[in-house]
C-alpha cells in the first residue's frame, strides 16, 4: 500500500504586514530606478538627435554659402550712378551681392545676381537669398522671377566681413564694408551665432578670381 502524506495539523504561517510593506517599497524603488534610467536614456537619445540635426543644418548652410562664394564670377551686375564704374561685388556686414552661375539642380542656369541679406525676424535674425538674372552687365527682370528664399533663421546674429590685398601685396585687415565694388575681395568671412548663443564654425572663403583686374574683364 502507498503511504499517505500527513498534513500538518498546526496553522499555516502567512506574510506579516511589515513584510508586505517592505516588498511594496522595494518594488516601488525598483520601478522608480527603472523609470529614471529609461528617462535618462531617452534624454540622451534626444540630445544626440538634436546635435546631429543641428550639425546637419550647419553643414548644409555653410556648404551652400561656400559653393556660392567659390563660384563668384568677376561679372558686373550694375554700374555706379555717379562714376559709372561697374559693380562686381557689393558688401557690408549685413549684405553681400555678387554674380555666380546658378546650379542646375535649382532648375535655372547662367549668371545670376546672388543677394544674401541679414533680416530682422522678431528677436532673432535670418539670412535670405534673392536671385536675379544678369545679362550684359545689368540685372534684368524675369517673367517668372525666383522668389527670395530663407537660407537660415532663428539666429542671434549673422555678419559678413571682407579682406583684400594691401598696397604692398600683403593681406590687408578685415573690412565690415567692401569699398571697391568694381573688384572682388580676396577673402569673405561669414559668422553665424545660433539663437542659444552658440557660435557656428566660422566660414572663410577665398574667391578664386579675386586677383583678376577689372580692366581685363568683359561684361
Amino acid at each position: 500500500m502507498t503511504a499517505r502524506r500527513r498534513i500538518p495539523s498546526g496553522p499555516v504561517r502567512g506574510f506579516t504586514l511589515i513584510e508586505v510593506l517592505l516588498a511594496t517599497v522595494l518594488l516601488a524603488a525598483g520601478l522608480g530606478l527603472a523609470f529614471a534610467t529609461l528617462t535618462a536614456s531617452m534624454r540622451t537619445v534626444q540630445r544626440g538627435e538634436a546635435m546631429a540635426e543641428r550639425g546637419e543644418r550647419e553643414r548644409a548652410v555653410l556648404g551652400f554659402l561656400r559653393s556660392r562664394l567659390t563660384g563668384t564670377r568677376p561679372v558686373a551686375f550694375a554700374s555706379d550712378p555717379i562714376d559709372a564704374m561697374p559693380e562686381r561685388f557689393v558688401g557690408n556686414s549685413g549684405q553681400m551681392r555678387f554674380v555666380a552661375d546658378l546650379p542646375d539642380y535649382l532648375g535655372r542656369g547662367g549668371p545670376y545676381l546672388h543677394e544674401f541679406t541679414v533680416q530682422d525676424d522678431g528677436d532673432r535674425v535670418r539670412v535670405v537669398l534673392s536671385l536675379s538674372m544678369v545679362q550684359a552687365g545689368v540685372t534684368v527682370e524675369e517673367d517668372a522671377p525666383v522668389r527670395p528664399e530663407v537660407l537660415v533663421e532663428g539666429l542671434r546674429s549673422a555678419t559678413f566681413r571682407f579682406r583684400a590685398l594691401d598696397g604692398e601685396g600683403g593681406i590687408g585687415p578685415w573690412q565690415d564694408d567692401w569699398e571697391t565694388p568694381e573688384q572682388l575681395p580676396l577673402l569673405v568671412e561669414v559668422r553665424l551665432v545660433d539663437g542659444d548663443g552658440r557660435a557656428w564654425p566660422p566660414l572663410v572663403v577665398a574667391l578664386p578670381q579675386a586677383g583678376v583686374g577689372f580692366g581685363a574683364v568683359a561684361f
Side-chain angles (χ1 to χ4, degrees):
M1 295 180 64
T2 305
R4 293 187 176 180
R5 193 173 176 183
R6 295 187 62 182
I7 301 176
S9 58
V12 179
R13 181 178 179 275
F15 294 105
T16 65
L17 179 59
I18 294 178
E19 290 174 333
V20 172
L21 291 176
L22 180 60
T24 303
V25 170
L26 291 175
L27 178 61
L31 291 175
L33 179 61
F35 181 76
T37 303
L38 179 61
T39 302
S41 300
M42 292 179 61
R43 289 177 178 172
T44 300
V45 171
Q46 290 173 351
R47 284 196 298 268
E49 291 177 347
M51 290 177 62
E53 182 179 351
R54 185 167 59 187
E56 184 62 30
R57 174 191 182 214
E58 290 179 359
R59 285 190 294 271
V61 172
L62 296 179
F64 183 80
L65 283 166
R66 181 182 296 277
S67 69
R68 298 295 82 221
L69 286 166
T70 55
T72 302
R73 296 175 54 185
V75 174
F77 56 84
S79 298
D80 187 282
I82 298 177
D83 56 18
M85 289 291 291
E87 295 182 346
R88 295 186 174 88
F89 195 102
V90 174
N92 55 51
S93 60
Q95 185 185 60
M96 293 188 297
R97 303 177 70 202
F98 57 88
V99 175
D101 287 334
L102 208 59
D104 294 336
Y105 65 81
L106 292 179
R108 298 165 184 257
Y112 269 76
L113 172 64
H114 290 56
E115 183 173 352
F116 291 94
T117 306
V118 179
Q119 297 180 349
D120 288 332
D121 188 19
D123 59 345
R124 294 289 184 265
V125 300
R126 60 185 180 182
V127 179
V128 177
L129 170 62
S130 299
L131 297 167
S132 303
M133 182 181 290
V134 174
Q135 292 181 348
V138 296
T139 303
V140 298
E141 296 289 339
E142 297 183 76
D143 295 334
V146 182
R147 65 183 182 87
E149 294 287 347
V150 177
L151 180 62
V152 60
E153 57 187 349
L155 300 174
R156 178 173 294 185
S157 65
T159 55
F160 309 130
R161 293 199 304 174
F162 318 96
R163 210 168 187 178
L165 295 176
D166 58 20
E168 300 178 354
I171 299 179
W174 286 107
Q175 306 174 25
D176 292 329
D177 295 290
W178 183 243
E179 300 177 350
T180 53
E182 69 276 8
Q183 297 179 353
L184 304 183
L186 183 66
L187 298 173
V188 175
E189 180 189 57
V190 180
R191 287 187 174 271
L192 305 175
V193 178
D194 232 328
D196 58 3
R198 188 187 57 84
W200 289 33
L203 176 66
V204 178
V205 181
L207 273 58
Q209 302 188 66
V212 178
F214 65 84
V217 180
F219 287 163

